[in-house]
Amino acid sequence: MAHIIVVGNEKGGAGKSTVSMHVATAVARMGHSIGVIDLDLRQKTLTRYLENRLVYMQKHDVDLAVPEFRDLPDVEKRDLAEGENIYDRRLSMAVAGLEPICDFILIDCPGSHTRLSQVAHSLADTLITPLNDSFLDFDLLAKMDGETRDIQGPSVYSEMVWSARQLRAQAGLTPIDWIVVRNRVGPQRMVNKELMVAALKKLSKRLGFRIAPGFTERVTFRELFPRGLTLLDLKDIGVKQFNISMVAARQELRDLVTELRLPGVEVDF
């Protein structure tokens, strides 16, 4: 059975698709078969990323690691069982199509609450939640007293993860390994950054997630998207000298994939 990785966060702009593409490509480059499903049916950033990659490969005649990709299949309403949700069926069919040929399946969720996202979270063996280094994003996880910074309780996204954990427990499945990734972090040392770290550490004990380092905010990522490339492809396309930003970003990716602790994956880049 494939190990399912879900990248989820109900707030846009946290870098979910960038994380998804880099993790999927890293796993593929290390010799594991991985399929991807893009649940953002409107924006389709991950889909566009992969399309750009295929175009670049064909145009430049290079062979790069490419995850197996699946659109959600179309389903006729007449084929549904009574009371069955059409999105549940479409997602389950996409996952079933990838499971026989993949060691891992990565599902990229939209930056909003949808039925598809809710169901995907209940399928997650590993849940990656990229989070901008901001208390605006922290509010997605927990409600906080503005004066004392005391945590008052879980917020909407954490409650959805809790529900997904409940469903998995009822089905006798392994618990979700939830990793909150501090993403798009500014390079400067700021008081806000230190406060965020302290608040996340406190919250992680209450909600049961691990904290992992993500990517610093870099121009490199925006430049790679139109060509469908990742940091790991640069040598393959003839880049001989890496600048300091590229070297640091590659190390960040290594640290992230290592911290995910995916079964059978030994990081070798």
Side-chain angles (χ1 to χ4, degrees), residues 131-132 134-144 151 155 196 199-200 203:
L131 194 73
N132 286 335
S134 161
F135 281 105
L136 285 172
D137 283 49
F138 184 90
D139 189 65
L140 191 74
L141 297 179
K143 302 166 187 172
M144 175 183 283
I151 296 170
S155 198
M196 272 290 294
L200 280 174
L203 186 61

Side-chain angles (χ1 to χ4, degrees), residues 52-82:
N52 292 344
R53 188 175 187 81
L54 294 175
V55 170
Y56 183 91
M57 289 169 59
Q58 184 177 23
K59 184 177 180 180
H60 295 275
D61 194 26
V62 293
D63 187 22
L64 303 173
V66 181
E68 191 74 26
F69 176 73
R70 288 286 188 280
D71 276 323
L72 292 183
D74 292 325
V75 175
E76 296 290 340
K77 288 187 177 180
R78 63 174 178 269
D79 295 329
L80 298 174
E82 185 176 352

Side-chain angles (χ1 to χ4, degrees), residues 11-27:
K11 190 174 187 300
K16 291 187 295 299
S17 296
T18 298
V19 168
S20 295
M21 186 64 179
H22 277 77
V23 169
T25 303
V27 170

Side-chain angles (χ1 to χ4, degrees), residues 96-107:
L98 287 169
E99 276 202 305
I101 59 173
C102 292
D103 302 318
F104 297 91
I105 298 172
L106 185 146
I107 303 175

Side-chain angles (χ1 to χ4, degrees), residues 10-183:
E10 290 183 4
K11 190 174 187 300
K16 291 187 295 299
S17 296
T18 298
V19 168
S20 295
M21 186 64 179
H22 277 77
V23 169
T25 303
V27 170
R29 286 180 63 96
M30 289 185 287
H32 301 275
S33 55
I34 181 165
V36 298
I37 301 171
D38 187 353
L39 295 188
D40 192 338
L41 303 184
R42 181 174 175 82
Q43 192 164 345
K44 296 188 175 182
T45 303
L46 182 58
T47 301
R48 292 289 300 129
Y49 212 136
L50 287 163
E51 289 173 347
N52 292 344
R53 188 175 187 81
L54 294 175
V55 170
Y56 183 91
M57 289 169 59
Q58 184 177 23
K59 184 177 180 180
H60 295 275
D61 194 26
V62 293
D63 187 22
L64 303 173
V66 181
E68 191 74 26
F69 176 73
R70 288 286 188 280
D71 276 323
L72 292 183
D74 292 325
V75 175
E76 296 290 340
K77 288 187 177 180
R78 63 174 178 269
D79 295 329
L80 298 174
E82 185 176 352
E84 183 180 13
N85 186 286
I86 191 168
Y87 290 111
D88 293 6
R89 171 71 76 86
R90 294 179 70 189
L91 180 55
S92 65
M93 288 175 64
V95 170
L98 287 169
E99 276 202 305
I101 59 173
C102 292
D103 302 318
F104 297 91
I105 298 172
L106 185 146
I107 303 175
D108 186 24
C109 294
S112 59
H113 180 78
T114 66
R115 172 73 182 192
L116 279 171
S117 182
Q118 188 176 7
V119 174
H121 280 67
S122 69
L123 300 177
D125 296 302
T126 297
L127 172 60
I128 305 171
T129 301
L131 194 73
N132 286 335
D133 223 37
S134 161
F135 281 105
L136 285 172
D137 283 49
F138 184 90
D139 189 65
L140 191 74
L141 297 179
K143 302 166 187 172
M144 175 183 283
D145 186 292
E147 298 293 331
T148 65
R149 299 193 186 279
D150 289 334
I151 296 170
Q152 298 175 324
S155 198
V156 287
Y157 181 72
S158 297
E159 290 172 348
M160 186 180 77
V161 175
W162 174 256
S163 296
R165 283 174 158 169
Q166 298 270 77
L167 288 173
R168 287 182 66 86
Q170 292 167 9
L173 300 174
T174 56
I176 298 172
D177 183 17
W178 185 13
I179 302 105
V180 172
V181 174
R182 293 181 60 235
N183 207 38

